[in-house]
Amino acid sequence: MNKGMTSVHGRGRTVSKLRKSHNARPPRSRQRTGSVCDSDIDVNLRIISYDDTVRKLDHYYGIVKRQLLQNQSITLGLFPLSSQEKEVADIRTTIYCAASIWSLFQAYRRIDDDRGKAYELGQSCVKCMRGILNCWMRQTENVENFKKGQNPKYALHSKFHLKTGKEVVSSDDYGHLQIDVVSLFLLFLVQMITSGLQIIYTMDEVTFVQNLVYYVERAYRTPDFGMWERGSKYNNGTPELHASSIGMAKAALEAINGCNLFGEKGASWSVIFVDIDAHNRNRSIFETLLPRESSSKNVDASLMCTISFPAFATHDQMLYSKTRSQVISSLEGKYGFKRFHRDGYGTVLEDKRRRFYHSAETKEFEKIECQWPLFYLYMILEGMFKNNEEQVEEYKNKLKPLVKRDKWGDPVIPMYYFVHKDNVEDEQAEPGSQYRQSSPEGTPKNLFLWGQSIWIIASLLMDNLLHINELDLIRRHLPSYNRPRKGGRYSAFQDTGTASDLVVQVVLIAESMRLQAMMATYGIQTQTPHEVEPVQIWPPKELVKVYQNLGVSEKLGLGGRPTRPIGALGTSKIYRVCGQTVLCYPLVFEVSDFYLSHDMALLIDDIKTELHFVGKYWRLSGRPTVCILIREEHMRDVHFRELLDLLAMLKSGYCDGLKIRTGRLQNLIASSCIEHLDFMNAMDIDLDITPFEQLQHASIGYQSLTDVPTAITYSEDSMSFKDMGLQPTPEVLSVLRSVSTLHGQTQLLGILLRREGRNFQVDGVSVQDRVCALLRQASSLRYWAGVRECNALLSKEVESISPYITTILVSGKQLTAGYGKDEILLDKPVQPAEIHDLFYTPALQAHNVVQAVLQQEVVLYCGKLIATHTQLFNGILNIRIGWVIKAMTYYLHDVCHGKESIESLAPNEVRRLVVKVLSIDEWAHKERLTPQQIRVIDGCLGRTPKRFYEKVFHILSKSTEGVRLCDQLLPQHPTISEMSSGELNFALTVQSLLNRIQHPEYRQIVVELFSVIATILERNPELKFLHELNLDQIVKEAFKMFLKDLGREYTEDMSSFYNASQVAVTSYLARAIVNFMLTGDVRSEIEEGLTFCKVS
């Protein structure tokens, strides 16, 4: 009876509405004049369609009530993973349940009279999202600690007590660090607030959400446990950098930037701010990792949720297609998608009593991984967003036989399908041949709520009850330049189109009037700080002080934005702070403690790089405005003319293809990106800001470059005072007073500093102050050996080096600092606080104190190069900085026959040398390098040919007793049972074996040997090594044959062999391998066929 009354009541209301809209059509829609009868039929069809819509919506309302709301916690509104769970709430499941209820709320808003259902659904969402907020706000101490160092033990929890919201499992017993969960919360928070729901009530909550943004901003350098809560594929408690987590964080940052958490009624202080440079790092590292998920997982189904609904984290069509096709081709089965290869979760072979797996246990789960129908639903959603009806139909049909029904006839989605224990062997022998059973979760009595939520969203879309634009109000599914433009005072991620359309605005600021006058004589118009007033020019560190007040709350114990530097994109905005207009100059113009800022040629390169970086990665509405600061000290530099050339080029409107507009700052503001830092208006604090000051001079001074006293090129004889380290202190002091050379004084002060400490007095001045004075002198003379040594003695560090280390690591490389046995391997991102101990190790300082700064310098160059010239690092898996410097030294001394040391070169020359050795393939032939020289440089760089690690894996699979090199055994098991051939971790294992070799040219011979063995095994698939494969023995045998053919006696010196061509070396290695096989080291049943071994 109620149903009947409902439809009549609904119909009455709608008729009037529809007639009204029918009569009010605009003229252009009246192209056909029909009869009154036609008009009535039209209205009646709409009424029928409306009734049908109401009936369908009520059907889904019933399902949501029975399947989801029935399982919602009465106190906090949270949801468990499955309906039988009565104690533990799962946050990821909770967010998806909220999204599902919200999608029905959105659908109901289409109709006239929903009898309060939309309100009920909306409030259920609010309760749910506030329940999550409630739980997390009890952990503000964790958030504050996590911001400082991303330590997993301070992670926000992903599971809570369903009714009380208390912690149920500690970080020691479960991997709570799941960046994607917090990001997912932020993403749906924005979607729901945009729909008009009021979720955030107080400023304390706004402050907390701003701190959640800080929490996810560093996803790009935070190894976490990922969507599957287990970290690495091996399930041994190790977190990894996950592309799915980083992509989700990137999407969340884009969504929440400039969002007013109080909705349309909100004030200026309830707006959320995002660091655009942190967003860009997440973007770049996410796109670098794709289509890979992590070091141990080449491919993972979780990437579908990241590149498609709900995150839509990339709009790069090539990356999207590559990732998508890899997921489908590798993981799709008849019953759904595997999560990833060798995933043991839910299989009959997994021991449920153990949290972690044993070493090599994952091999057991190969080919019997569980398949999850959930991902068929994600594929349907993707099809809906892409308007691909065939795809929707295809996955709908695949899902149909897998869906179960409850007593009301409602569909139930099983969590996964597994292979029964009796069928495991048959399935492993022939994957896909066996019938699978559904999991205990995802049955009518125990619903898998994540699956049910996604089914409801997909069904609403398929039944045309919900439009994709109602599900994705902020249009994440569109590229940013196709999204509706946001109004308001805050920056938004909205390009105007492609990067080629972008114009970078450049403001030239001269430090003084006399510098301005001199620049004018060369036709370069600049402004002084006085001339741009009332706009102020700030150093970037002053902006950091302002941002430290964003998200501060004594009550919550939250300290605002961590003191992270403002990057190139952040300094390209114009800021409005407390009524003042501010432009910051970029970090490259900051006169830092470290010596790189004293090299003009390097600065010129950095300005070009900075402009291109901003041009390539600017994603905000409004143009970027870059401030180029010209200081008087630049005039004295020998490279000043090059700076003038660069400025003249910018004036022409282009910089290496990038569109540039130079002009007066006042004229550029209107088209700039302006960020209003309104949160400062609500704060009662006095900011101690020191803007960039103009230099005052009595006279205008220089008129042209010829008047400027140039820096002289200083050099001196380098004399070693190493022996003085053995002399008593009075003797060292005596020699110090008599030495006049900078290098000599630096060495002697270094001895005193290490022996007596920094505060030891020398003629009334501390050793530290003496070194600082020497540093200033060496800097003004551009005496780089002295500058580097003084920097090393004072233990100085390159600013912001940790993002460059992260860039190297996420490019699929490892980084090693130090030398020899004391090398420190970096395989996960490091915190800025750890940098010092990384480079200033006792071993490195004892080896050569200058190496501590030189290695930092080379890391910085490699980090910058790998982002822009990735091809230079092809074939290099482990960038061993000490060895890269060895390659540079070898090239300088042995190839070019130069006399100077690396440390005496200007930083820009060191950078060019780094590029030179990395690009050896491009010039080796032209410059007529010998085979030995090529092998030495490639060996130092650790370069290997294409598919090298797959070949080694194949060799290992044929070597029962493993492979031996330099007295180190690489065993067949557990290596190949735990890892797969395309896995990054296997390649790193092989690298660590090769790294034991101390002679770079020998290393390259071993690399060539691996390739030869692999070729033989490919052509003779029946071969197998019975005993361990001793590579040193084979190389030695090859060398003996080589000498014998030349008619020479045996010698330990292998130079002649290293200098032989690759063809010659390959033939001797092949002969040695055949001899090795003929000694009986292959499987006996094929010994007869050995004489026909296909080698050539």
Side-chain angles (χ1 to χ4, degrees):
M1 181 173 173
N2 283 348
K3 276 189 179 178
M5 285 173 67
T6 304
S7 56
V8 170
H9 183 58
R11 187 181 302 170
R13 288 289 298 272
T14 311
V15 171
S16 62
K17 182 178 181 184
L18 289 171
R19 280 182 181 151
K20 200 172 175 183
S21 65
H22 181 73
N23 295 334
R25 279 182 184 167
R28 67 178 175 158
S29 64
R30 293 194 191 143
Q31 290 170 350
R32 182 177 65 86
T33 356
S35 65
V36 177
C37 185
D38 282 346
S39 173
D40 285 347
I41 290 169
D42 189 28
V43 171
N44 284 329
L45 282 171
R46 289 180 184 212
I47 292 166
I48 293 163
S49 163
Y50 177 83
D51 277 355
D52 192 39
T53 300
V54 173
R55 189 178 51 74
K56 283 181 179 173
L57 284 173
D58 287 349
H59 169 67
Y60 284 111
Y61 174 78
I63 292 176
V64 165
K65 288 283 276 186
R66 290 189 292 273
Q67 293 192 342
L68 300 186
L69 294 175
Q70 179 66 29
N71 295 296
Q72 188 174 22
S73 150
I74 52 172
T75 48
L76 290 163
L78 304 178
F79 288 87
L81 181 68
S82 59
S83 58
Q84 277 183 1
E85 175 58 65
K86 302 300 176 192
E87 295 287 318
V88 181
D90 179 74
I91 300 298
R92 185 183 288 99
T93 302
T94 297
I95 297 167
Y96 277 115
C97 287
S100 176
I101 297 163
W102 174 73
S103 65
L104 184 58
F105 159 78
Q106 284 289 85
Y108 262 113
R109 294 173 79 185
R110 286 181 170 195
I111 66 171
D112 237 10
D113 182 13
D114 57 40
R115 288 153 296 110
K117 288 176 182 170
Y119 183 79
E120 180 200 353
L121 293 166
Q123 292 310 107
S124 299
C125 287
V126 172
K127 181 173 184 175
C128 182
M129 297 298 276
R130 288 191 59 73
I132 297 170
L133 197 65
N134 184 321
C135 292
W136 280 346
M137 283 185 78
R138 300 177 193 186
Q139 299 188 322
T140 49
E141 194 180 335
N142 277 16
V143 174
E144 187 57 26
N145 286 324
F146 188 83
K147 272 160 41 181
K148 292 169 187 167
Q150 291 81 51
N151 188 325
K153 76 174 178 182
Y154 298 124
L156 282 170
H157 283 208
S158 300
K159 294 194 184 290
F160 290 94
H161 193 280
L162 198 55
K163 296 194 176 106
T164 64
K166 289 182 177 173
E167 297 176 5
V168 287
V169 56
S170 74
S171 290
D172 295 332
D173 300 322
Y174 172 76
H176 283 293
L177 179 50
Q178 296 161 34
I179 297 282
D180 69 298
V181 171
V182 182
S183 304
L184 197 64
F185 173 78
L186 294 175
L187 194 57
F188 277 114
L189 181 69
V190 177
Q191 296 275 24
M192 290 174 187
I193 289 171
T194 308
S195 73
L197 292 180
Q198 199 176 342
I199 295 171
I200 304 298
Y201 294 170
T202 66
M203 273 313 294
D204 287 334
E205 291 169 9
V206 172
T207 300
F208 183 74
V209 172
Q210 180 64 60
N211 278 272
L212 288 184
V213 169
Y214 299 144
Y215 183 95
V216 301
E217 264 181 356
R218 287 202 156 178
Y220 65 89
R221 47 174 299 161
T222 309
D224 73 342
F225 292 98
M227 193 179 285
W228 309 129
E229 308 169 4
R230 288 182 165 188
S232 91
K233 176 171 90 175
Y234 312 120
N235 187 23
N236 54 11
T238 312
E240 289 188 309
L241 276 177
H242 288 96
S244 55
S245 295
I246 299 169
M248 204 64 92
K250 171 195 179 276
L253 294 175
E254 286 171 5
I256 207 161
N257 183 48
C259 173
N260 198 318
L261 295 186
F262 289 167
E264 288 177 3
K265 299 171 186 172
S268 58
W269 48 82
S270 51
V271 170
I272 296 297
F273 291 85
V274 166
D275 176 356
I276 179 179
D277 289 282
H279 162 267
N280 184 60
R281 286 190 190 122
N282 279 304
R283 179 208 54 75
S284 112
I285 281 158
F286 172 59
E287 290 177 357
T288 303
L289 276 170
L290 287 183
R292 209 161 32 94
E293 161 72 336
S294 66
S295 294
S296 68
K297 293 181 273 235
N298 266 6
V299 62
D300 192 307
S302 64
L303 288 170
M304 282 312 298
C305 318
T306 313
I307 61 170
S308 186
F309 177 83
F312 303 99
T314 183
H315 292 284
D316 178 322
Q317 205 46 52
M318 211 169 83
L319 262 182
Y320 181 93
S321 305
K322 196 174 176 185
T323 307
R324 180 185 181 279
S325 62
Q326 193 159 309
V327 170
I328 292 171
S329 62
S330 305
L331 303 176
E332 189 180 343
K334 287 186 210 165
Y335 295 84
F337 282 62
K338 300 174 194 173
R339 302 193 305 179
F340 52 88
H341 289 302
R342 295 185 177 180
D343 170 27
Y345 183 84
T347 60
V348 290
L349 299 183
E350 185 183 57
D351 185 348
K352 308 284 187 291
R353 296 163 299 177
R354 275 188 288 119
R355 181 183 167 197
F356 297 133
Y357 294 161
H358 295 313
S359 171
E361 192 176 347
T362 54
K363 175 74 173 169
E364 295 173 19
F365 311 126
E366 192 166 11
K367 299 176 183 169
I368 60 156
E369 301 94 335
C370 293
Q371 294 178 9
W372 295 54
L374 170 70
F375 289 99
Y376 282 169
L377 289 164
Y378 275 108
M379 294 307 293
I380 290 170
L381 284 171
E382 189 211 28
M384 294 301 297
F385 275 101
K386 293 281 183 193
N387 197 21
N388 184 337
E389 288 177 22
E390 281 179 24
Q391 180 176 323
V392 172
E393 209 51 43
E394 178 194 344
Y395 284 99
K396 210 166 131 184
N397 293 333
K398 285 181 177 179
L399 186 67
K400 220 174 198 174
L402 307 176
V403 175
K404 300 186 177 305
R405 299 270 166 182
D406 63 14
K407 62 182 179 184
W408 289 284
D410 298 339
V412 173
I413 307 295
M415 187 176 186
Y416 57 82
Y417 278 84
F418 66 95
V419 178
H420 190 271
K421 62 181 179 192
D422 298 339
N423 303 340
V424 166
E425 284 181 19
D426 293 337
E427 178 69 14
Q428 284 179 328
E430 193 183 336
S433 61
Q434 301 302 304
Y435 171 76
R436 286 171 179 254
Q437 290 179 289
S438 59
S439 58
E441 301 87 358
T443 58
K445 291 188 177 175
N446 187 21
L447 298 170
F448 169 48
L449 297 184
W450 180 5
Q452 293 309 123
S453 305
I454 300 297
W455 176 82
I456 289 163
I457 296 171
S459 299
L460 288 171
L461 286 172
M462 287 190 287
D463 283 352
N464 294 318
L465 298 171
L466 185 69
H467 189 268
I468 54 171
N469 288 344
E470 292 168 313
L471 178 60
D472 179 21
L473 286 172
I474 56 176
R475 309 291 193 270
R476 292 268 338 133
H477 66 283
L478 298 175
S480 56
Y481 50 83
N482 283 342
R483 291 174 198 155
R485 295 188 72 77
K486 264 190 192 175
R489 296 159 60 81
Y490 308 101
S491 65
F493 288 97
Q494 285 170 314
D495 324 53
T496 48
T498 58
S500 60
D501 301 332
L502 186 74
V503 175
V504 177
Q505 301 183 153
V506 172
V507 179
L508 305 177
I509 300 291
E511 191 176 31
S512 66
M513 285 176 70
R514 71 174 185 183
L515 176 56
Q516 183 188 34
M518 202 207 84
M519 298 298 282
T521 62
Y522 290 93
I524 302 212
Q525 301 304 316
T526 58
Q527 289 177 281
T528 62
H530 285 176
E531 285 179 347
V532 296
E533 287 174 355
V535 181
Q536 293 190 352
I537 305 294
W538 282 10
K541 63 174 184 243
E542 302 301 323
L543 193 56
V544 172
K545 286 184 197 171
V546 173
Y547 268 119
Q548 276 172 326
N549 296 292
L550 177 61
V552 172
S553 170
E554 266 186 59
K555 191 159 86 172
L556 293 171
L558 294 170
R561 182 183 186 268
T563 51
R564 299 166 186 165
I566 307 286
L569 300 171
T571 54
S572 299
K573 296 180 191 177
I574 287 173
Y575 292 88
R576 295 280 295 155
V577 192
C578 301
Q580 292 178 330
T581 305
V582 172
L583 177 62
C584 283
Y585 57 78
L587 218 50
V588 293
F589 295 107
E590 197 74 294
V591 179
S592 68
D593 274 356
F594 208 71
Y595 57 88
L596 298 180
S597 61
H598 298 297
D599 183 0
M600 185 67 160
L602 195 66
L603 177 66
I604 292 165
D605 280 353
D606 283 342
I607 293 171
K608 285 183 184 174
T609 307
E610 193 94 348
L611 290 171
H612 278 278
F613 177 82
V614 171
K616 190 173 180 186
Y617 298 121
W618 186 257
R619 293 289 181 274
L620 299 183
S621 43
R623 288 175 176 174
T625 308
V626 178
C627 173
I628 291 184
L629 194 62
I630 306 156
R631 299 177 187 271
E632 287 207 343
E633 67 182 59
H634 295 157
M635 291 192 300
R636 297 187 64 245
D637 198 283
V638 288
H639 295 285
F640 188 56
R641 277 188 188 280
E642 291 173 33
L643 179 63
L644 288 176
D645 291 342
L646 172 64
L647 300 179
M649 178 164 68
L650 298 182
K651 189 182 165 189
S652 74
Y654 284 93
C655 172
D656 301 337
L658 178 71
K659 292 177 188 168
I660 302 285
R661 181 187 171 197
T662 55
R664 295 175 65 78
L665 179 53
Q666 287 84 343
N667 299 340
L668 299 176
I669 286 181
S671 51
S672 297
C673 171
I674 299 176
E675 190 73 271
H676 294 82
L677 302 186
D678 291 336
F679 63 89
M680 292 301 294
N681 303 344
M683 302 187 120
D684 185 22
I685 46 170
D686 292 325
L687 273 179
D688 178 24
I689 297 291
T690 314
F692 180 67
E693 295 290 346
Q694 184 168 326
L695 285 184
Q696 305 298 329
H697 295 292
S699 66
I700 290 293
Y702 314 124
Q703 290 302 314
S704 80
L705 277 180
T706 48
D707 302 337
V708 183
T710 358
I712 57 167
T713 308
Y714 175 84
S715 64
E716 60 179 33
D717 294 333
S718 56
M719 183 179 168
S720 176
F721 287 88
K722 217 171 186 177
D723 298 345
M724 292 304 296
L726 304 169
Q727 302 300 321
T729 300
E731 184 69 29
V732 176
L733 284 169
S734 162
V735 175
L736 176 63
R737 293 183 185 108
S738 66
V739 168
S740 59
T741 63
L742 289 177
H743 187 54
Q745 288 181 59
T746 312
Q747 288 180 80
L748 293 164
L749 285 168
I751 291 167
L752 292 173
L753 191 136
R754 283 188 289 272
R755 189 185 294 173
E756 307 290 348
R758 289 168 179 263
N759 299 320
F760 180 70
Q761 300 289 306
V762 178
D763 301 335
V765 182
S766 71
V767 170
Q768 179 159 336
D769 290 346
R770 286 285 294 265
V771 176
C772 288
L774 269 182
L775 175 57
R776 284 191 293 274
Q777 195 181 347
S779 296
S780 64
L781 294 168
R782 305 293 190 266
Y783 175 54
W784 296 110
V787 167
R788 284 190 176 92
E789 195 152 1
C790 290
N791 268 277
L793 290 175
L794 296 167
S795 299
K796 291 190 183 290
E797 298 159 30
V798 176
E799 289 87 355
S800 300
I801 195 175
S802 50
Y804 293 109
I805 292 175
T806 306
T807 307
I808 291 169
L809 297 178
V810 298
S811 300
K813 314 289 181 192
Q814 281 188 331
L815 187 67
T816 311
Y819 264 124
K821 292 176 183 172
D822 301 300
E823 279 186 325
I824 298 173
L825 178 69
L826 292 178
D827 51 5
K828 61 177 185 286
V830 290
Q831 304 302 331
E834 299 165 18
I835 297 291
H836 183 274
D837 296 341
L838 194 64
F839 291 101
Y840 288 98
T841 58
L844 196 58
Q845 286 182 296
H847 173 80
N848 181 353
V849 70
V850 177
Q851 284 292 324
V853 291
L854 194 57
Q855 290 208 9
Q856 289 182 67
E857 202 180 322
V858 173
V859 168
L860 184 73
Y861 301 149
C862 288
K864 286 182 175 181
L865 282 168
I866 205 163
T868 52
H869 298 81
T870 321
Q871 77 285 355
L872 291 177
F873 297 86
N874 286 351
I876 303 173
L877 192 61
N878 186 345
I879 302 171
R880 301 167 82 194
I881 298 301
W883 285 87
V884 172
I885 292 172
K886 271 190 178 177
M888 291 155 65
T889 309
Y890 179 81
Y891 175 74
L892 198 64
H893 295 166
D894 294 57
V895 179
C896 301
H897 308 294
K899 294 283 184 280
E900 65 271 67
S901 61
I902 298 279
E903 50 262 37
S904 66
L905 299 176
N908 71 86
E909 291 168 331
V910 173
R911 174 147 79 179
R912 285 188 191 127
L913 203 50
V914 171
V915 175
K916 185 75 179 175
V917 296
L918 286 170
S919 59
I920 180 175
D921 291 348
E922 296 167 17
W923 52 266
H925 182 68
K926 193 165 69 180
E927 295 190 20
R928 295 185 178 174
L929 262 64
T930 65
Q932 183 169 9
Q933 289 172 332
I934 294 171
R935 284 190 177 107
V936 171
I937 294 174
D938 273 341
C940 286
L941 299 174
R943 190 164 263 152
T944 54
K946 280 183 183 174
R947 294 186 55 244
F948 173 73
Y949 300 102
E950 290 173 37
K951 291 174 181 176
V952 177
F953 192 89
H954 183 56
I955 292 168
L956 197 55
S957 68
K958 298 276 191 171
S959 308
T960 320
E961 298 296 315
V963 175
R964 183 172 292 278
L965 178 66
C966 297
D967 289 329
Q968 176 81 15
L969 182 71
L970 179 64
Q972 187 185 57
H973 293 287
T975 313
I976 65 167
S977 47
E978 189 168 76
M979 301 174 195
S980 52
S981 62
E983 198 177 304
L984 184 58
N985 285 352
F986 174 72
L988 296 171
T989 304
V990 176
Q991 265 300 323
S992 64
L993 180 72
L994 290 170
N995 288 351
R996 297 180 66 83
I997 302 171
Q998 289 306 305
H999 295 286
E1001 52 274 72
Y1002 185 74
R1003 179 197 171 103
Q1004 285 313 95
I1005 295 286
V1006 170
V1007 167
E1008 290 168 44
L1009 173 60
F1010 270 124
S1011 300
V1012 174
I1013 298 173
T1015 305
I1016 291 173
L1017 291 176
E1018 277 167 25
R1019 292 174 185 175
N1020 302 270
E1022 71 281 4
L1023 294 184
K1024 232 173 196 176
F1025 296 104
L1026 281 179
H1027 302 295
E1028 69 178 33
L1029 184 61
N1030 191 319
L1031 301 179
D1032 296 314
Q1033 190 183 324
I1034 294 171
V1035 174
K1036 195 173 181 180
E1037 182 68 24
F1039 179 48
K1040 281 181 181 172
M1041 290 181 191
F1042 173 76
L1043 290 178
K1044 188 178 177 185
D1045 285 359
L1046 290 177
R1048 294 187 195 166
E1049 288 295 311
Y1050 180 75
T1051 168
E1052 292 294 326
D1053 179 12
M1054 293 178 69
S1055 303
S1056 54
F1057 193 52
Y1058 297 145
N1059 214 13
S1061 70
Q1062 191 173 357
V1063 175
V1065 168
T1066 300
S1067 69
Y1068 284 106
L1069 291 173
R1071 283 167 60 189
I1073 294 159
V1074 172
N1075 284 356
F1076 180 76
M1077 290 171 168
L1078 289 168
T1079 55
D1081 271 11
V1082 285
R1083 192 174 282 280
S1084 54
E1085 63 262 28
I1086 49 156
E1087 274 179 356
E1088 296 165 15
L1090 275 176
T1091 46
F1092 304 106
C1093 180
K1094 302 168 194 162
V1095 174
S1096 58

